[in-house]
Amino acid sequence: MPELPEVETVRRTLRDRVVGRRIESVRVRERRLRVPVEADFDRRLTGATILDLRRVGKYLLFDLDDGAVWLVHLGMTGCLATTAAGLERHNHVAVDLSGGTTMVYNDPRRFGLMRVVRGPAPELAALGVDPLSPEFSPESLRGMARDRRRPIKNLLMDQRCIAGLGNIYASEILFRAGVRPGRRAGGLRRLELAAVHAATRVVLEEAIRLGGSSISDYRDGEGRSGHFQMHFNVYARDGEPCRRCDARIRARVLCGRSTFYCPTCQG
Ligand SMILES: [Zn+2]
């Protein structure tokens, strides 16, 4: 499932190819995404010029010159790319841009979302801080953790607190910070929370530098795979030796999700 680094990679690879272009035509072949593509979606996009491409959490936001925003969430298996090579089967939406570029939305499991919004979008209003924004600080993380009995991993993945992290990056961040995923957020010491904050930035920035993680379907805006999966320290490595201390990585289920950690490096 694409998390923040994958969505940010899509944004960076698409941005230069789409900003300043006019949307010439829109072809919707399949409207049945997680939220059905609205009947007037094609009409509302056609003719608009893309002024900017931004990201908030796991959402992509195309700012249009008529003041509306084209909102995209990639769901579990969504790809938005200007090259459609090898992705033809589940191409649900194609957007033709001036200059001859076509952007294609492909999504085998159809958990994505795509709509045109005017004014504040309820999806975005419910989101917490973006972990790459200045609003995400050691102090704001301390505020979120205060008095929370739930595990720190659960807090990291709660989109209403921090927008953009999922199972992969929450696991990798807590390894980097040396904190067990099941520890109660409210019981972490100040220094431990500072380590979680610092690890969040480091892990996300490294993952973006490597083009994100391609586990199954994820591709960037040019149809290429990411490489961060080669650098996982704990995610999906249960039974394998820790890269730092050689102990075996363990797996346990926490809040319904498989969680991976090193019993020695993470206290
Ligand atoms: Zn270890």
Side-chain angles (χ1 to χ4, degrees):
M1 174 170 188
E3 299 181 28
L4 187 152
E6 290 76 44
V7 179
E8 178 62 17
T9 302
V10 169
R11 187 188 78 82
R12 291 185 187 185
T13 47
L14 276 182
R15 195 172 179 279
D16 287 347
R17 292 160 171 247
V18 305
V19 168
R21 307 230 184 222
R22 186 175 175 275
I23 297 169
E24 306 277 0
S25 62
V26 178
R27 290 165 283 151
V28 183
R29 277 186 222 159
E30 175 60 84
R31 293 189 185 270
R32 291 171 300 167
L33 302 183
R34 178 165 59 88
V35 176
V37 179
E38 287 162 323
D40 64 351
F41 173 79
D42 338 20
R43 186 184 56 76
R44 292 180 70 185
L45 272 191
T46 306
T49 296
I50 298 170
L51 297 183
D52 200 2
L53 173 52
R54 296 179 290 132
R55 179 193 57 74
V56 177
K58 299 182 203 172
Y59 286 88
L60 288 167
L61 284 74
F62 294 81
D63 292 319
L64 306 175
D65 65 340
D66 62 358
V69 173
W70 170 23
L71 197 67
V72 179
H73 191 286
L74 302 174
M76 306 276 287
T77 55
C79 294
L80 190 63
T82 52
T83 49
L87 294 175
E88 296 82 358
R89 184 145 171 251
H90 298 283
N91 287 352
H92 304 313
V93 179
V95 176
D96 299 314
L97 304 174
S98 57
T101 302
T102 296
M103 221 185 329
V104 171
Y105 181 71
N106 181 282
D107 188 355
R109 294 184 64 181
R110 292 192 278 111
F111 272 101
L113 173 146
M114 166 159 321
R115 64 195 198 92
V116 180
V117 294
R118 207 170 261 286
E123 291 93 340
L124 302 183
L127 291 180
V129 294
D130 190 286
L132 293 183
S133 72
E135 286 74 39
F136 181 64
S137 63
E139 293 71 33
S140 66
L141 182 60
R142 274 213 307 283
M144 291 174 214
R146 193 165 296 136
D147 301 328
R148 298 287 176 106
R149 296 187 57 80
R150 58 184 178 159
I152 179 67
K153 175 164 178 261
N154 190 242
L155 184 148
L156 291 180
M157 291 173 61
D158 184 343
Q159 302 300 302
R160 293 165 301 179
C161 293
I162 301 171
L165 303 181
N167 206 19
I168 293 175
Y169 293 101
S171 299
E172 293 296 319
I173 286 164
L174 291 172
F175 173 81
R176 190 80 61 124
V179 171
R180 287 260 181 128
R183 297 266 305 276
R184 282 190 301 115
L188 293 180
R189 293 189 299 274
R190 200 184 174 98
L191 268 176
E192 290 174 316
L193 283 170
V196 171
H197 172 266
T200 302
R201 286 277 167 79
V202 170
V203 168
L204 293 178
E205 277 161 15
E206 188 183 335
I208 292 166
R209 200 164 58 242
L210 292 167
S213 305
S214 288
I215 308 258
S216 52
D217 307 85
Y218 164 73
R219 299 287 181 273
D220 72 11
E222 294 171 26
R224 294 172 308 206
S225 303
H227 299 287
F228 189 67
Q229 69 278 10
M230 265 88 107
H231 300 262
F232 287 163
N233 283 306
V234 286
Y235 184 79
R237 293 193 68 237
D238 45 314
E240 292 178 39
C242 173
R243 301 190 202 282
R244 197 182 285 164
C245 75
D246 231 28
R248 289 203 184 281
I249 301 299
R250 285 193 195 155
R252 64 173 281 205
V253 174
L254 196 63
C255 307
R257 304 293 299 271
S258 292
T259 294
F260 306 93
Y261 65 98
C262 172
T264 312
C265 294
Q266 292 171 262

PDB file of all heavy atoms in Angstrom, residues 141 144-146 148 150-159 161-162 165 185-186:
ATOM      1  N   LEU A 141       4.714  15.850  18.831  1.00  0.00           N
ATOM      2  CA  LEU A 141       4.619  14.400  19.059  1.00  0.00           C
ATOM      3  C   LEU A 141       4.377  14.116  20.550  1.00  0.00           C
ATOM      4  O   LEU A 141       3.580  13.247  20.902  1.00  0.00           O
ATOM      5  CB  LEU A 141       5.889  13.702  18.559  1.00  0.00           C
ATOM      6  CG  LEU A 141       5.903  12.175  18.703  1.00  0.00           C
ATOM      7  CD1 LEU A 141       4.752  11.521  17.935  1.00  0.00           C
ATOM      8  CD2 LEU A 141       7.240  11.592  18.222  1.00  0.00           C
ATOM      9  N   MET A 144       0.774  14.598  21.263  1.00  0.00           N
ATOM     10  CA  MET A 144      -0.071  13.492  20.790  1.00  0.00           C
ATOM     11  C   MET A 144       0.036  12.280  21.713  1.00  0.00           C
ATOM     12  O   MET A 144      -0.921  11.540  21.906  1.00  0.00           O
ATOM     13  CB  MET A 144       0.389  13.036  19.398  1.00  0.00           C
ATOM     14  CG  MET A 144       0.138  14.005  18.281  1.00  0.00           C
ATOM     15  SD  MET A 144       0.924  13.345  16.777  1.00  0.00           S
ATOM     16  CE  MET A 144       1.430  14.863  15.989  1.00  0.00           C
ATOM     17  N   ALA A 145       1.234  12.050  22.252  1.00  0.00           N
ATOM     18  CA  ALA A 145       1.481  10.837  23.044  1.00  0.00           C
ATOM     19  C   ALA A 145       0.976  10.968  24.474  1.00  0.00           C
ATOM     20  O   ALA A 145       0.694   9.963  25.126  1.00  0.00           O
ATOM     21  CB  ALA A 145       2.981  10.528  23.058  1.00  0.00           C
ATOM     22  N   ARG A 146       0.849  12.187  24.947  1.00  0.00           N
ATOM     23  CA  ARG A 146       0.511  12.426  26.351  1.00  0.00           C
ATOM     24  C   ARG A 146      -0.744  11.661  26.780  1.00  0.00           C
ATOM     25  O   ARG A 146      -1.777  11.733  26.114  1.00  0.00           O
ATOM     26  CB  ARG A 146       0.309  13.926  26.572  1.00  0.00           C
ATOM     27  CG  ARG A 146       0.271  14.331  28.039  1.00  0.00           C
ATOM     28  CD  ARG A 146       0.446  15.832  28.182  1.00  0.00           C
ATOM     29  NE  ARG A 146       1.757  16.283  27.724  1.00  0.00           N
ATOM     30  CZ  ARG A 146       1.969  17.359  26.964  1.00  0.00           C
ATOM     31  NH1 ARG A 146       0.964  18.093  26.556  1.00  0.00           N
ATOM     32  NH2 ARG A 146       3.189  17.686  26.605  1.00  0.00           N
ATOM     33  N   ARG A 148      -1.671   8.788  26.394  1.00  0.00           N
ATOM     34  CA  ARG A 148      -2.222   7.758  25.515  1.00  0.00           C
ATOM     35  C   ARG A 148      -1.774   6.384  25.991  1.00  0.00           C
ATOM     36  O   ARG A 148      -0.575   6.144  26.138  1.00  0.00           O
ATOM     37  CB  ARG A 148      -1.745   7.961  24.067  1.00  0.00           C
ATOM     38  CG  ARG A 148      -2.176   9.252  23.443  1.00  0.00           C
ATOM     39  CD  ARG A 148      -3.673   9.227  23.116  1.00  0.00           C
ATOM     40  NE  ARG A 148      -4.070  10.531  22.603  1.00  0.00           N
ATOM     41  CZ  ARG A 148      -4.332  10.778  21.330  1.00  0.00           C
ATOM     42  NH1 ARG A 148      -4.278   9.810  20.449  1.00  0.00           N
ATOM     43  NH2 ARG A 148      -4.668  11.985  20.938  1.00  0.00           N
ATOM     44  N   ARG A 150      -2.507   3.655  24.225  1.00  0.00           N
ATOM     45  CA  ARG A 150      -2.327   2.771  23.072  1.00  0.00           C
ATOM     46  C   ARG A 150      -0.872   2.731  22.631  1.00  0.00           C
ATOM     47  O   ARG A 150      -0.080   3.638  22.942  1.00  0.00           O
ATOM     48  CB  ARG A 150      -3.212   3.203  21.930  1.00  0.00           C
ATOM     49  CG  ARG A 150      -2.943   4.616  21.527  1.00  0.00           C
ATOM     50  CD  ARG A 150      -3.909   4.995  20.468  1.00  0.00           C
ATOM     51  NE  ARG A 150      -3.703   6.373  20.098  1.00  0.00           N
ATOM     52  CZ  ARG A 150      -4.104   6.874  18.962  1.00  0.00           C
ATOM     53  NH1 ARG A 150      -4.718   6.119  18.089  1.00  0.00           N
ATOM     54  NH2 ARG A 150      -3.891   8.125  18.694  1.00  0.00           N
ATOM     55  N   PRO A 151      -0.519   1.660  21.904  1.00  0.00           N
ATOM     56  CA  PRO A 151       0.888   1.505  21.485  1.00  0.00           C
ATOM     57  C   PRO A 151       1.361   2.656  20.593  1.00  0.00           C
ATOM     58  O   PRO A 151       0.584   3.212  19.829  1.00  0.00           O
ATOM     59  CB  PRO A 151       0.871   0.195  20.683  1.00  0.00           C
ATOM     60  CG  PRO A 151      -0.355  -0.525  21.106  1.00  0.00           C
ATOM     61  CD  PRO A 151      -1.347   0.534  21.478  1.00  0.00           C
ATOM     62  N   ILE A 152       2.647   2.962  20.715  1.00  0.00           N
ATOM     63  CA  ILE A 152       3.241   4.034  19.914  1.00  0.00           C
ATOM     64  C   ILE A 152       3.088   3.761  18.415  1.00  0.00           C
ATOM     65  O   ILE A 152       2.837   4.673  17.626  1.00  0.00           O
ATOM     66  CB  ILE A 152       4.740   4.262  20.301  1.00  0.00           C
ATOM     67  CG1 ILE A 152       5.384   5.356  19.449  1.00  0.00           C
ATOM     68  CG2 ILE A 152       5.575   2.984  20.200  1.00  0.00           C
ATOM     69  CD1 ILE A 152       4.850   6.744  19.662  1.00  0.00           C
ATOM     70  N   LYS A 153       3.179   2.488  18.023  1.00  0.00           N
ATOM     71  CA  LYS A 153       3.044   2.189  16.584  1.00  0.00           C
ATOM     72  C   LYS A 153       1.656   2.574  16.080  1.00  0.00           C
ATOM     73  O   LYS A 153       1.501   3.129  14.992  1.00  0.00           O
ATOM     74  CB  LYS A 153       3.305   0.707  16.317  1.00  0.00           C
ATOM     75  CG  LYS A 153       3.052   0.336  14.856  1.00  0.00           C
ATOM     76  CD  LYS A 153       3.650  -0.978  14.488  1.00  0.00           C
ATOM     77  CE  LYS A 153       3.353  -1.343  13.049  1.00  0.00           C
ATOM     78  NZ  LYS A 153       2.230  -2.266  12.938  1.00  0.00           N
ATOM     79  N   ASN A 154       0.654   2.287  16.918  1.00  0.00           N
ATOM     80  CA  ASN A 154      -0.715   2.620  16.582  1.00  0.00           C
ATOM     81  C   ASN A 154      -0.887   4.138  16.427  1.00  0.00           C
ATOM     82  O   ASN A 154      -1.554   4.619  15.508  1.00  0.00           O
ATOM     83  CB  ASN A 154      -1.574   2.071  17.718  1.00  0.00           C
ATOM     84  CG  ASN A 154      -3.033   2.115  17.421  1.00  0.00           C
ATOM     85  OD1 ASN A 154      -3.768   2.783  18.119  1.00  0.00           O
ATOM     86  ND2 ASN A 154      -3.468   1.425  16.388  1.00  0.00           N
ATOM     87  N   LEU A 155      -0.245   4.891  17.305  1.00  0.00           N
ATOM     88  CA  LEU A 155      -0.312   6.354  17.216  1.00  0.00           C
ATOM     89  C   LEU A 155       0.336   6.848  15.911  1.00  0.00           C
ATOM     90  O   LEU A 155      -0.208   7.704  15.225  1.00  0.00           O
ATOM     91  CB  LEU A 155       0.377   6.987  18.423  1.00  0.00           C
ATOM     92  CG  LEU A 155       0.303   8.515  18.538  1.00  0.00           C
ATOM     93  CD1 LEU A 155       0.284   8.919  20.004  1.00  0.00           C
ATOM     94  CD2 LEU A 155       1.453   9.216  17.848  1.00  0.00           C
ATOM     95  N   LEU A 156       1.492   6.259  15.568  1.00  0.00           N
ATOM     96  CA  LEU A 156       2.176   6.695  14.340  1.00  0.00           C
ATOM     97  C   LEU A 156       1.310   6.453  13.101  1.00  0.00           C
ATOM     98  O   LEU A 156       1.389   7.194  12.123  1.00  0.00           O
ATOM     99  CB  LEU A 156       3.506   5.943  14.161  1.00  0.00           C
ATOM    100  CG  LEU A 156       4.628   6.255  15.144  1.00  0.00           C
ATOM    101  CD1 LEU A 156       5.862   5.421  14.811  1.00  0.00           C
ATOM    102  CD2 LEU A 156       4.988   7.743  15.126  1.00  0.00           C
ATOM    103  N   MET A 157       0.487   5.375  13.152  1.00  0.00           N
ATOM    104  CA  MET A 157      -0.324   5.024  11.986  1.00  0.00           C
ATOM    105  C   MET A 157      -1.702   5.679  11.982  1.00  0.00           C
ATOM    106  O   MET A 157      -2.442   5.531  11.018  1.00  0.00           O
ATOM    107  CB  MET A 157      -0.495   3.495  11.912  1.00  0.00           C
ATOM    108  CG  MET A 157       0.798   2.785  11.574  1.00  0.00           C
ATOM    109  SD  MET A 157       0.624   0.984  11.681  1.00  0.00           S
ATOM    110  CE  MET A 157      -0.632   0.685  10.461  1.00  0.00           C
ATOM    111  N   ASP A 158      -2.037   6.409  13.042  1.00  0.00           N
ATOM    112  CA  ASP A 158      -3.346   7.052  13.127  1.00  0.00           C
ATOM    113  C   ASP A 158      -3.339   8.323  12.264  1.00  0.00           C
ATOM    114  O   ASP A 158      -2.698   9.318  12.615  1.00  0.00           O
ATOM    115  CB  ASP A 158      -3.647   7.398  14.596  1.00  0.00           C
ATOM    116  CG  ASP A 158      -5.039   7.991  14.776  1.00  0.00           C
ATOM    117  OD1 ASP A 158      -5.655   8.431  13.773  1.00  0.00           O
ATOM    118  OD2 ASP A 158      -5.514   8.014  15.924  1.00  0.00           O
ATOM    119  N   GLN A 159      -4.059   8.278  11.151  1.00  0.00           N
ATOM    120  CA  GLN A 159      -4.027   9.390  10.190  1.00  0.00           C
ATOM    121  C   GLN A 159      -4.566  10.695  10.786  1.00  0.00           C
ATOM    122  O   GLN A 159      -4.274  11.764  10.276  1.00  0.00           O
ATOM    123  CB  GLN A 159      -4.824   9.035   8.925  1.00  0.00           C
ATOM    124  CG  GLN A 159      -4.319   7.768   8.226  1.00  0.00           C
ATOM    125  CD  GLN A 159      -2.866   7.871   7.783  1.00  0.00           C
ATOM    126  OE1 GLN A 159      -2.508   8.770   7.019  1.00  0.00           O
ATOM    127  NE2 GLN A 159      -2.012   6.977   8.254  1.00  0.00           N
ATOM    128  N   CYS A 161      -3.727  11.763  13.679  1.00  0.00           N
ATOM    129  CA  CYS A 161      -2.607  12.372  14.419  1.00  0.00           C
ATOM    130  C   CYS A 161      -1.497  12.763  13.443  1.00  0.00           C
ATOM    131  O   CYS A 161      -1.077  13.909  13.382  1.00  0.00           O
ATOM    132  CB  CYS A 161      -2.049  11.384  15.443  1.00  0.00           C
ATOM    133  SG  CYS A 161      -3.179  11.010  16.782  1.00  0.00           S
ATOM    134  N   ILE A 162      -1.002  11.759  12.702  1.00  0.00           N
ATOM    135  CA  ILE A 162       0.084  11.975  11.744  1.00  0.00           C
ATOM    136  C   ILE A 162      -0.396  11.407  10.411  1.00  0.00           C
ATOM    137  O   ILE A 162      -0.804  10.248  10.336  1.00  0.00           O
ATOM    138  CB  ILE A 162       1.364  11.245  12.200  1.00  0.00           C
ATOM    139  CG1 ILE A 162       1.791  11.745  13.591  1.00  0.00           C
ATOM    140  CG2 ILE A 162       2.495  11.431  11.192  1.00  0.00           C
ATOM    141  CD1 ILE A 162       2.905  10.932  14.219  1.00  0.00           C
ATOM    142  N   LEU A 165       1.698   7.814   7.373  1.00  0.00           N
ATOM    143  CA  LEU A 165       2.464   6.621   7.741  1.00  0.00           C
ATOM    144  C   LEU A 165       1.554   5.394   7.769  1.00  0.00           C
ATOM    145  O   LEU A 165       0.410   5.470   8.192  1.00  0.00           O
ATOM    146  CB  LEU A 165       3.100   6.791   9.122  1.00  0.00           C
ATOM    147  CG  LEU A 165       4.025   7.984   9.305  1.00  0.00           C
ATOM    148  CD1 LEU A 165       4.593   7.993  10.719  1.00  0.00           C
ATOM    149  CD2 LEU A 165       5.162   7.942   8.284  1.00  0.00           C
ATOM    150  N   ALA A 185       2.280   4.701  24.211  1.00  0.00           N
ATOM    151  CA  ALA A 185       2.792   6.002  23.768  1.00  0.00           C
ATOM    152  C   ALA A 185       2.999   6.943  24.954  1.00  0.00           C
ATOM    153  O   ALA A 185       4.013   7.632  25.047  1.00  0.00           O
ATOM    154  CB  ALA A 185       1.832   6.618  22.757  1.00  0.00           C
ATOM    155  N   GLY A 186       2.041   6.935  25.885  1.00  0.00           N
ATOM    156  CA  GLY A 186       2.109   7.840  27.029  1.00  0.00           C
ATOM    157  C   GLY A 186       3.210   7.487  28.014  1.00  0.00           C
ATOM    158  O   GLY A 186       3.568   8.301  28.867  1.00  0.00           O
TER     159      GLY A 186
END
